[in-house]
Amino acid sequence: PEKPVVPDPEYTLGDINSDGAINQYDYILVKRHYFGTRYLTDDEMLPADVNKDGVSDSLDMIILARHIAKWKGYETIPLK
């Protein structure tokens, strides 16, 4: 028997809480995950990996913070 096709989950990189915006609330979720005070769920892990290296870490926190602060070169996620 054939295995059912499971579609890839739909998400926006950086929008960890899926509220339609990339903002300080998303940054806080990644920061809490990094420091171990609140771990991301499986559904939150994919959009939290903004540099697409397979993990959510301090580099993702930096990219999110710079994107939210509108630093030049960080206008888009993923970075181009």
Side-chain angles (χ1 to χ4, degrees):
E2 290 185 37
K3 292 183 180 179
V5 176
V6 178
D8 289 334
E10 291 187 26
Y11 62 90
T12 300
L13 282 174
D15 185 13
I16 293 100
N17 63 359
S18 300
D19 67 354
I22 301 170
N23 53 37
Q24 69 273 16
Y25 302 111
D26 301 299
Y27 172 79
I28 289 167
L29 289 174
V30 173
K31 181 178 175 183
R32 287 179 177 169
H33 175 79
Y34 179 74
F35 287 107
T37 59
R38 186 228 186 244
Y39 292 102
L40 298 173
T41 66
D42 290 342
D43 290 339
E44 294 169 334
M45 286 299 283
L46 289 173
D49 182 19
V50 296
N51 66 347
K52 302 188 87 167
D53 67 353
V55 294
S56 177
D57 56 15
S58 59
L59 189 52
D60 298 299
M61 275 193 330
I62 292 167
I63 292 169
L64 272 175
R66 290 177 179 180
H67 174 76
I68 293 163
K70 302 184 185 322
W71 280 33
K72 185 174 182 173
Y74 291 84
E75 294 89 354
T76 61
I77 293 181
L79 301 175
K80 294 183 178 182

